[in-house]
Amino acid sequence: MSVLKADNIVMQFGGVTAVNDLNIEVEKGKIVALIGPNGAGKTTAFNVITGVYQPTKGSVYFNGEKITGLSPDKITNKGIARTFQNIRLFKNLTVLDNILIANHLHVKSNFLSYTTRMPWSRKEEKSMRSKSEMLLEKLGLLSLKNEIAHSLPYGEQRKLEIARALATDAKLLLLDEPAAGMNPSETMQLSGFIHTIRDEFELTIFMIEHHMDLVMEISDKIYVLDFGQLIAQGTADEVKNNKRVIEAYLGVEEDA
């Protein structure tokens, strides 16, 4: 079953075509990677999927429903969450507060009931705090709940950003270069972490990543972009042995 489908997406900025006739399908429960050289159009594709950009042409579908034209917050409400290459936390707030803020997406009480401390709003707030702490516990971050976000090691900040995305009750998680800035040990831990959250939360994961060891290890399917054009797709073995991909991105093969 296809969770995400990008159908003939074209994204132009003036006379520049950043993405040209892009077709992608991400099946439920899979880990799928989008790779390619810098400037290939990967982040533009993510921005189209999440409603930051409206495509010049084409449509995006989530669980069979057309989401093209929806605002980013409405797309998040549908069950799509995203992280960014540059970590975007509320860095001066605690770990727990970062999760609580994400949980407010599903709050039913209004501002007045919160400020007047109405019984139902207090009950909802207590439930939200409990849910946030349970999420942190599942992800091994509960012991850090009172730590200020910017004081965490880089790898833990990345985990917190992913945790915050999960707090929106996402079913499709878009990861934009999750291993950026990580050392080899942190990258290895991230690989296990991505598998764990996929299984624990029954997620489908679509990621952009330049770290090829990570991509080849965890991806069920890989799409390759070059100058906005899809040049290859397939399993890790199929992609790494594709001559066009080698020439455009992975490097020219050496003579045996």
Side-chain angles (χ1 to χ4, degrees):
M1 175 184 173
S2 175
V3 170
L4 175 69
K5 183 178 180 181
D7 190 15
N8 300 117
I9 295 296
V10 175
M11 188 68 231
Q12 295 175 324
F13 300 96
V16 177
T17 301
V19 174
N20 188 22
D21 200 26
L22 179 63
N23 291 281
I24 285 177
E25 287 196 46
V26 180
E27 294 183 7
K28 184 176 181 179
K30 301 297 185 181
I31 299 175
V32 177
L34 180 64
I35 67 171
N38 289 328
K42 304 181 298 297
T43 297
T44 298
F46 264 33
N47 284 337
V48 170
I49 291 167
T50 55
V52 176
Y53 298 149
Q54 300 305 314
T56 307
K57 177 185 174 184
S59 301
V60 179
Y61 299 87
F62 177 58
N63 287 329
E65 177 185 357
K66 186 176 179 179
I67 60 172
T68 316
L70 295 182
S71 60
D73 61 306
K74 289 182 178 178
I75 288 174
T76 301
N77 269 307
K78 295 286 184 185
I80 300 177
R82 174 186 181 178
T83 66
F84 294 85
Q85 179 181 352
N86 299 315
I87 296 175
R88 298 186 183 183
L89 296 171
F90 296 102
K91 294 193 174 183
N92 293 317
L93 298 181
T94 67
V95 167
L96 180 59
D97 284 340
N98 269 270
I99 303 301
L100 286 170
I101 289 171
N103 264 317
H104 272 88
L105 181 70
H106 302 290
V107 164
K108 294 181 174 61
S109 300
N110 58 30
F111 176 76
L112 181 61
S113 62
Y114 263 104
T115 55
T116 55
R117 305 296 293 165
M118 301 300 287
W120 60 84
S121 67
R122 292 200 303 269
K123 182 178 180 180
E124 188 174 43
E125 185 178 3
K126 183 178 179 181
S127 174
M128 189 168 59
R129 180 174 290 270
S130 176
K131 178 184 174 183
S132 297
E133 290 183 345
M134 286 176 60
L135 175 61
L136 289 173
E137 184 174 22
K138 284 183 178 181
L139 300 181
L141 296 170
L142 185 59
S143 63
L144 303 172
K145 72 175 185 177
N146 294 319
E147 298 292 326
I148 301 300
H150 72 75
S151 70
L152 298 179
Y154 186 85
E156 299 302 301
Q157 289 189 40
R158 182 66 74 182
K159 286 183 181 179
L160 175 57
E161 187 185 37
I162 293 173
R164 191 177 61 182
L166 295 179
T168 66
D169 292 333
K171 289 302 176 185
L172 172 63
L173 181 60
L174 275 61
L175 303 176
D176 192 346
E177 296 196 37
M182 288 188 173
N183 61 42
S185 175
E186 289 171 331
T187 301
M188 186 179 299
Q189 291 177 21
L190 178 66
S191 173
F193 184 73
I194 290 174
H195 270 121
T196 296
I197 62 172
R198 189 271 303 269
D199 297 339
E200 176 74 25
F201 297 94
E202 298 181 352
L203 291 171
T204 302
I205 296 175
F206 187 33
M207 68 176 186
I208 295 171
E209 185 52 66
H210 281 293
H211 196 295
M212 284 301 100
D213 288 343
L214 177 65
V215 169
M216 297 299 173
E217 180 184 348
I218 71 173
S219 301
D220 296 302
K221 187 172 184 178
I222 301 170
Y223 288 91
V224 188
L225 276 180
D226 189 31
F227 294 107
Q229 193 83 37
L230 190 65
I231 62 170
Q233 59 180 286
T235 65
D237 284 340
E238 289 170 338
V239 165
K240 71 183 180 183
N241 291 310
N242 184 297
K243 289 186 177 181
R244 192 171 177 188
V245 176
I246 293 168
E247 291 171 0
Y249 185 50
L250 298 181
V252 179
E253 291 179 297
E254 295 181 357
D255 293 333

